[in-house]
Amino acid sequence: MDRESSPFDHLLWKETARTLEARCRIFDVYRVQKASGKGTTGSFYLLDAPEWVTVVPVIQNGDGTRSFVMVRQYRHGSGEVTLEFPAGVVEKGEEPEAAGRRELKEETGYEAAEARLLGRVNPNPAFMNNRTHVFLFSGLTKTALQCFDEHEDIEVELVPEDTAVAQMGTGEFGNGIMMIALGFYLRDRKGKD
Amino acid sequence: MDRESSPFDHLLWKETARTLEARCRIFDVYRVQKASGKGTTGSFYLLDAPEWVTVVPVIQNGDGTRSFVMVRQYRHGSGEVTLEFPAGVVEKGEEPEAAGRRELKEETGYEAAEARLLGRVNPNPAFMNNRTHVFLFSGLTKTALQCFDEHEDIEVELVPEDTAVAQMGTGEFGNGIMMIALGFYLRDRKGKD
């Protein structure tokens, strides 16, 4: 991979080999052998995953407040029901914004007139190799019925922004990927209210 | 597991079986069979991981601004060098706050007079079963040398808060788990500046 050199290249490790440990449909697990510039060697586990997208769909209310279009669904990792922003996987060949529009429409039936990138990060660079892209979607109109992926059973709810911000990290508001998106949203709103 | 009933229990699935797919040191990968209340069945991949902790170590500067104590290190998932908040795993029997104090000391040599929980979320409830706890640490003093885990090679840097907030999602500021912590921090600061 071509990359620009940086003053911190002395911290880089080089991959020397990798073995597939498990194919898990939404990611593959590899064991990767690496060597540091200092000559240290080790093996590390890697989740090879596609890019992800999360959208923050905002409705401007008549009274000057804002609401989010959120989705309630069962999450198989936590074993709990969460209330969170629409999100999903960026399909091969798809642009992240287009993936966000598709997920919003499939999960909620809404479409957005405007989209703006709020930020993107690796969800966990310790063992993931992908990024989650966060878009602000506004100018929303409900145009279609929901259209679920297999095993999806999703309820749509309009949540006041103040409620979502205050409740984040409690009860149904427990999704860290949503917290990444909400953090970028709070940065974007800083000084505007 | 005992849990209170909720109006959304119709969305819950029940586990019927699980198989260990891979032991990966920092997590175990399981394939879990589940059935929904509607009778749908499916298999889902789960990363069984310990609790995590991230600390936001804040220094109040003489000019009224604030800086974060951050760490620069190579990340084996992304293959990149990141600049991020100190973080790590909560050891068995350890309280999350104590784990945060231990990680701060090991990674940076700093200790904190005050600690306050900013929030906690599941880093990815789609396939993780743990939580990441975020603490605000203040009243910092440098008391000790760094003390690294095996394979850790960490550089400490004081980063102005404004820089970290503005740069988040670009260059070295690419860690989503740090973004979770920064989001909770921005919520906490809302209306205070």
Side-chain angles (χ1 to χ4, degrees), chain A residues 10 25 43 74 122 155 176, chain B residues 10 25 34 43 122 155 176:
Chain A
H10 59 282
R25 198 166 54 230
S43 73
Y74 176 76
N122 180 311
E155 297 178 0
Chain B
H10 60 281
R25 198 166 53 230
K34 290 198 177 186
S43 75
N122 180 311
E155 297 177 359

Side-chain angles (χ1 to χ4, degrees), chain B residues 144-163:
Chain B
L145 293 175
Q146 294 162 280
C147 164
F148 298 140
D149 290 345
E150 191 199 359
H151 296 148
E152 277 188 333
D153 187 2
I154 291 177
E155 297 177 359
V156 180
E157 188 163 317
L158 297 190
V159 181
E161 177 185 313
D162 289 351
T163 303

Side-chain angles (χ1 to χ4, degrees), chain A residues 15-20 30-34 46 48 129:
Chain A
E15 180 173 331
T16 54
R18 66 166 65 188
T19 325
L20 181 67
Y30 286 93
R31 181 171 182 164
V32 180
Q33 307 293 328
K34 291 199 179 184
L46 169 71
D48 179 30
N129 66 355

Side-chain angles (χ1 to χ4, degrees), chain A residues 16-30:
Chain A
T16 54
R18 66 166 65 188
T19 325
L20 181 67
E21 294 281 315
R23 287 204 186 278
C24 301
R25 198 166 54 230
I26 52 171
F27 48 76
D28 295 330
V29 182
Y30 286 93

